[in-house]
């Protein structure tokens, strides 16, 4: 009889575990929501992502020659090399839609009054010293605006991730990896030992390593996947229960996550 009760209790415990409601996949607008609307990484792309209710806007930060932080992905824009140009030179660049490259201060001044969260990617600078300078400047700019609760950080470099951990000990830091750099993939155990909140991997890595998502979740790590734009793959990663989908089509991903 006792054994019978034990079985019933064990079954109830198992049922309650499997019924734990996992949070739905969150939508991250890759470089803001710009597709067909405006230029990526601009104030308008941030505004658009916030307007449609994205969980977060991802954006890229680079250091200029005169050590200013600007929000831009490529190091060369209209012939100007960002890390070899001064801010005043960079400010002369105008995109087709009339917008310019925002400074990090300008970008965050706009974000301050929005509901959207922010995922800041620091692009590598020329030296560890400059990386440290950039992270210290980012800390100052974020703290001045009291935005720390809204921002998490990503980098393709574990040493930059460690810098973020040092200067933002209460924030979430995620390690980025591209499928073109398979040697740079780190295991969930390694991510945990560094102190990361999770991994932020290109879709192909997660498709080629189908156990990775569960392995991360089992260790309490989160998984962000980029850049997922096709409906078939978006649905695949929603079904797999990734925590974040980073996409150029946040409107489509939002529609599919609500189904
Ligand atoms: Mg980026």
């Amino acid at each position: 009889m006792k054994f019978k009760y034990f079985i019933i209790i064990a079954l109830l415990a198992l049922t309650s575990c499997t019924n734990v409601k996992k949070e739905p996949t969150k939508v991250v607008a890759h470089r803001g929501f710009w597709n067909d609307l405006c230029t990526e990484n601009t104030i308008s792309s941030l505004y658009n992502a916030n307007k449609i209710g994205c969980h977060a806007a991802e954006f890229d930060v680079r250091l200029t020659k005169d050590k200013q932080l600007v929000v831009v992905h490529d190091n060369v824009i209209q012939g100007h090399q960002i890390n070899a140009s001064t801010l005043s030179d960079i400010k002369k660049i105008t995109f087709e839609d009339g917008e310019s490259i925002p400074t990090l201060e300008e970008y965050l001044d706009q974000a301050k009054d929005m509901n959207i969260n922010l995922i800041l990617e620091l692009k590598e600078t020329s030296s560890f010293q400059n990386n440290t300078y950039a992270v210290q400047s980012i800390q100052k700019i974020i703290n001045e605006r009291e935005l720390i609760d809204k921002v998490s950080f990503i980098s393709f470099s574990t040493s930059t991730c460690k810098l973020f951990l040092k200067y933002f000990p209460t924030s979430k830091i995620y390690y980025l990896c591209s499928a073109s750099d398979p040697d740079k993939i780190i295991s969930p155990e390694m991510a945990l030992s560094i102190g990361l909140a999770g991994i932020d991997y290109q879709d192909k890595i997660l498709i080629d390593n189908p156990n990775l998502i569960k392995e991360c979740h089992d260790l309490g790590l989160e998984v962000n996947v980029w850049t997922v734009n096709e409906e078939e793959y978006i649905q695949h990663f929603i079904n797999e229960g990734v925590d974040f989908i980073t996409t150029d089509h946040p409107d489509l991903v939002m529609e599919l996550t609500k189904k």
Side-chain angles (χ1 to χ4, degrees), residues 30-31 41 58-61 72-73 119-123 154 156 176 200 226-227 246:
H30 183 232
R31 307 177 195 171
N41 277 326
E58 184 267 358
F59 61 101
D60 305 286
V61 173
V72 66
H73 180 268
I119 299 181
L120 186 158
E121 178 184 350
L122 176 62
K123 292 294 184 191
I154 54 176
F156 282 101
L176 286 164
D200 193 346
W226 56 273
T227 306
T246 299

Side-chain angles (χ1 to χ4, degrees), residues 48-95:
N48 293 335
N50 181 61
K51 192 177 173 188
I52 63 165
C54 292
H55 170 75
E58 184 267 358
F59 61 101
D60 305 286
V61 173
R62 287 187 177 275
L63 194 64
T64 65
K65 182 185 172 186
D66 52 348
K67 291 200 158 68
Q68 302 297 306
L69 293 163
V70 289
V71 178
V72 66
H73 180 268
D74 296 349
N75 189 38
V76 179
I77 300 282
Q78 296 179 16
H80 296 266
Q81 200 175 318
I82 301 296
N83 61 357
S85 305
T86 61
L87 178 61
S88 70
D89 285 338
I90 291 165
K91 276 296 182 187
K92 289 174 192 153
I93 300 170
T94 307
F95 297 118

Side-chain angles (χ1 to χ4, degrees), residues 59 118-122 135 138-139 142 147-148 150-155 160-161 164-165 167-176 196-198 200:
F59 61 101
L118 304 164
I119 299 181
L120 186 158
E121 178 184 350
L122 176 62
V135 173
I138 290 168
Q139 184 195 43
I142 287 176
L147 275 168
I148 191 65
K150 278 190 178 179
V151 189
S152 51
F153 303 90
I154 54 176
S155 171
T160 301
C161 284
F164 278 127
L165 282 163
Y167 288 93
F168 298 93
T170 61
S171 301
K172 289 184 171 184
I173 322 291
Y174 303 83
Y175 172 67
L176 286 164
L196 300 173
D200 193 346

Side-chain angles (χ1 to χ4, degrees), residues 46-47 50-51 105-118 145-147 150:
L46 170 68
Y47 176 84
N50 181 61
K51 192 177 173 188
E105 286 102 324
E106 288 166 346
Y107 192 91
L108 294 184
D109 280 343
Q110 296 299 316
K112 199 173 183 316
D113 298 322
M114 297 180 184
N115 290 323
I116 196 162
N117 294 292
L118 304 164
R145 287 157 184 81
E146 299 179 343
L147 275 168
K150 278 190 178 179

